[in-house]
Amino acid sequence: MTVSGETKRRFALATALRGAFMLLAGLYAVIWPAEALTILVLAGGILLLIDGVLGLWSLTFGGGKSGNYWFDVVSNALSLLLGIVILISPLLATIFTVTFMATIVGIAALVVGVMQIVVITREREHYARIWPVVLSGASYVLLGLVFLFFPLLSASIGVIFGGVLLIMFSFGLFGWAWRLYQRSKGV
């Protein structure tokens, strides 16, 4: 089945629009990191809320049971609770600051990292290689320490770094859109 030139031009336009949105988001994150951080915190709250609900649903109705049932229940309930706290935090802006949220992220990363390392070392006989999980756990621990010791700086630098990556990826999308457009002319 061949694709018409018109369809290829639509793909090129859609790819260029993705690049434009990515470029705008990246510039926003680089120029206004504090505002972008607020949006990211709210998006993270939504993701945590969805993750907690789906995780609890999976444990309750979906048959998603693992060897660490109560750990899974507690982590999903905490994910749900943290998502709710993050989403209502704009109303409680004087109580829950970005520093508090970054500290919560740091503590959560520490707990997840330590739990990954403990669980994989306890159950290492069930796995062919444990090093990827140990390195992942160590990465979470290091990330948690950075967020605990430098909460505002790490959050702002993370947003700026993410913005720079978005800008770089947008140029890749623009190049891809240009190639798609050029191919549409050859049909």
Side-chain angles (χ1 to χ4, degrees), residues 1-8 11 187:
M1 180 175 175
T2 61
V3 179
S4 71
E6 180 64 31
T7 302
K8 286 183 180 182
F11 287 152
V187 173

Side-chain angles (χ1 to χ4, degrees), residues 29-45:
V30 169
I31 296 170
W32 296 289
E35 290 81 3
L37 181 61
T38 302
I39 292 170
L40 283 175
V41 167
L42 290 174

Side-chain angles (χ1 to χ4, degrees), residues 56-152:
L56 288 173
W57 180 87
S58 173
L59 289 170
T60 307
F61 302 110
K65 304 203 184 330
S66 69
N68 299 313
Y69 178 74
W70 287 109
F71 173 74
D72 291 341
V73 169
V74 170
S75 67
N76 285 311
L78 286 175
S79 177
L80 177 67
L81 183 63
L82 185 59
I84 292 170
V85 168
I86 289 171
L87 290 177
I88 64 171
S89 69
L91 302 175
L92 306 171
T94 57
I95 298 170
F96 296 113
T97 63
V98 173
T99 303
F100 178 75
M101 293 298 178
T103 303
I104 294 289
V105 168
I107 291 170
L110 273 174
V111 169
V112 167
V114 169
M115 287 301 294
Q116 278 186 344
I117 294 169
V118 167
V119 168
I120 198 69
T121 54
R122 261 194 326 175
E123 299 178 1
R124 66 179 161 264
E125 62 273 355
H126 299 294
Y127 298 94
R129 289 182 283 158
I130 66 168
W131 293 111
V133 179
V134 170
L135 288 176
S136 172
S139 298
Y140 271 111
V141 168
L142 288 174
L143 179 69
L145 290 174
V146 167
F147 268 90
L148 284 174
F149 289 119
F150 308 105
L152 286 176

Side-chain angles (χ1 to χ4, degrees), residues 47-60:
L47 288 175
L48 284 169
L49 183 74
I50 292 169
D51 179 56
V53 168
L54 291 177
L56 288 173
W57 180 87
S58 173
L59 289 170
T60 307

